[in-house]
Amino acid sequence: MQIRAEQLAAALAKGLRPLYVIHGDEPLLAQEAADAVRAAARAAGCSERTVHTVAGGHFDWAGLLGDAGALSLFAERRLIEIRIPSGKPGKDGSEALQRYVEQLGADDVTLVMLPRLDRTQLGSAWFGALDGAGLAVRVDPVERRALPVWIAQRLAQHGLRVEDGEAGQQALAFFADRVEGNLLAAHQEITKLALLHAPADPRGAPAVLAREQIEAAVLDVARYDVFRLGEAVLAGDAARALRMLDGLQAEGEAAVLVHWTLADDLRGLQRVHAAMQQGRPLPMALREARVWGLKEKLFERVLPRLDSATLATLVDAAHACDGIVKGLRDPRWPDDPWAALQQLVLMTLAAVAPKSGVPALAAAARPPAARQ
């Protein structure tokens, strides 16, 4: 049975299961979920804990099975942790995990820690066995649009809140901009604010944080995922897209990879648009182009604003930018790879955003040569 991380507390309150699987790539939330399972196991009498980390291709799976089947010398119940950082146990591991599930007892509690799993891994026999024997907890990252609410909830846990109205929303937006993509840092900044501005009476009304207090305390610790840049561009969020581009450059990300993600989205838009022109329904065209998740919703939103000529212009621009980031020169484009990437981002934003949303970017929709 699979649940989301926020549902784990309620599930633990109903009773302890023999096996828990936590999978996801958000370290803070995965750690908190694991800590919740450990605390529940200790409360249920699991006073002994053993940890098995699967590293490399020569892990002793027989040793794990033997340890799991052995009786504890010091405790009636044990917590057995199995950590698979790669998410790929291999053939021997797959068979061992399925055998492990078959011999699960009522006394011990098993906690399996995994990274984010792809569709193939989620459909594997070993994961199916784990999922069927216990509870699988999916740890999803906090999306940028949900981050202000997440921050407000975490502040409330420390007896803090922002001002009412627009001022408070601006403070949360500022906070989110500074910690985007780095929940561990967000947690640290919230803890710091709690130490600096804790309410006099923890049981009383929450202490109100002014934006100036947040700005003075919160560092710029945002970390940007190159694959989220395209989402910001397709969403028409110019400020966030340009901020992410600057952040990726400052973090030393490869310009070639940044270009690939942008160009892949533009080629995808062109393929889906062409399929629709041939009479295919939008859902079918998206599936054929292998567009899933949030990108699927963004494609659905921007495709009605694009025509074949605009898409051809954008794909040609991506081709020219490809040469720039690989060291070639084009008289129509800046020589600096990051300046060229910024130009490509601006052109795409001007094309996909509502016409009333980014009037200042309208000129960027034209090829560089047309503006000289």
Side-chain angles (χ1 to χ4, degrees):
M1 176 181 177
Q2 295 201 48
I3 63 172
R4 298 187 301 275
E6 56 268 26
Q7 299 172 304
L8 177 59
L12 289 171
K14 296 178 181 178
L16 199 61
R17 295 184 178 231
L19 186 143
Y20 292 87
V21 181
I22 298 175
H23 60 101
D25 56 0
E26 184 49 67
L28 173 68
L29 301 183
Q31 183 64 41
E32 290 179 343
D35 287 344
V37 173
R38 294 181 187 117
R42 284 195 301 270
C46 296
S47 56
E48 182 180 341
R49 174 178 168 226
T50 60
V51 179
H52 301 269
T53 301
V54 180
H58 303 288
F59 179 73
D60 184 9
W61 291 101
L64 168 64
L65 293 171
D67 179 54
L71 296 176
S72 171
L73 297 176
F74 307 104
E76 293 183 0
R77 304 189 71 182
R78 294 179 300 170
L79 174 64
I80 301 173
E81 292 192 24
I82 306 171
R83 301 175 181 175
I84 312 177
S86 68
K88 300 176 180 179
K91 181 180 179 181
D92 292 341
S94 174
E95 296 174 355
L97 289 172
Q98 293 176 69
R99 291 201 304 272
Y100 183 92
V101 166
E102 293 172 358
Q103 66 182 44
L104 277 177
D107 292 334
D108 295 334
V109 176
T110 299
L111 173 61
V112 182
M113 300 291 294
L114 296 162
R116 182 173 63 88
L117 303 178
D118 59 28
R119 187 169 301 187
T120 300
Q121 291 166 310
L122 290 172
S124 64
W126 62 268
F127 183 82
L130 294 174
D131 184 27
L135 200 62
V137 182
R138 188 181 75 245
V139 179
D140 296 321
V142 179
E143 298 292 341
R144 173 59 182 82
R145 63 181 180 275
L147 191 53
V149 174
W150 184 90
I151 292 170
Q153 292 171 343
R154 292 290 172 129
L155 287 171
Q157 293 173 8
H158 291 276
L160 301 172
R161 70 175 181 88
V162 297
E163 300 171 282
D164 294 328
E166 185 66 22
Q169 296 306 310
Q170 290 177 357
L172 289 174
F174 170 85
F175 201 145
D177 287 343
R178 294 303 181 271
V179 299
E180 179 181 356
N182 195 349
L183 286 193
L184 281 170
H187 173 72
Q188 293 170 349
E189 297 299 320
I190 291 169
T191 302
K192 181 169 66 177
L193 283 167
L195 292 173
L196 292 172
H197 306 288
D201 181 3
R203 293 171 296 181
V208 180
L209 295 172
R211 175 170 178 170
E212 293 75 16
Q213 292 173 309
I214 292 177
E215 290 179 350
V218 177
L219 300 173
D220 189 350
V221 290
R223 296 189 63 186
Y224 298 114
D225 183 344
V226 63
F227 298 103
R228 295 298 176 91
L229 174 61
E231 294 176 2
V233 173
L234 292 176
D237 192 338
R240 181 179 176 226
L242 294 175
R243 185 172 62 249
M244 291 180 74
L245 191 63
D246 289 342
L248 290 167
Q249 181 181 8
E251 291 172 7
E253 187 60 79
V256 172
L257 178 59
V258 175
H259 170 268
W260 181 85
T261 62
L262 295 171
D264 189 58
D265 284 343
L266 293 175
R267 289 191 295 266
L269 286 169
Q270 189 178 50
R271 286 195 299 270
V272 174
H273 186 272
M276 293 173 62
Q277 293 293 99
Q278 295 172 3
R280 290 184 180 84
L282 178 57
M284 180 184 297
L286 289 169
R287 285 197 302 272
E288 290 176 350
R290 303 184 66 82
V291 179
W292 319 104
L294 179 59
K295 283 285 179 71
E296 182 178 5
K297 297 178 181 177
L298 292 171
F299 271 46
E300 291 176 352
R301 186 182 306 166
V302 303
L303 278 167
R305 303 172 189 153
L306 301 171
D307 54 36
S308 299
T310 300
L311 285 167
T313 298
L314 291 174
V315 171
D316 287 345
H319 179 72
C321 188
D322 178 58
I324 300 297
V325 300
K326 293 178 179 177
L328 302 177
R329 291 190 175 185
D330 188 317
R332 304 171 302 161
W333 284 77
D335 292 338
D336 179 70
W338 289 96
L341 287 169
Q342 183 185 70
Q343 182 63 58
L344 181 61
V345 166
L346 289 171
M347 291 178 65
T348 308
L349 281 166
V352 304
K355 297 307 180 184
S356 60
V358 284
L361 300 179
R366 301 195 301 274
R371 299 193 302 276
Q372 294 177 353

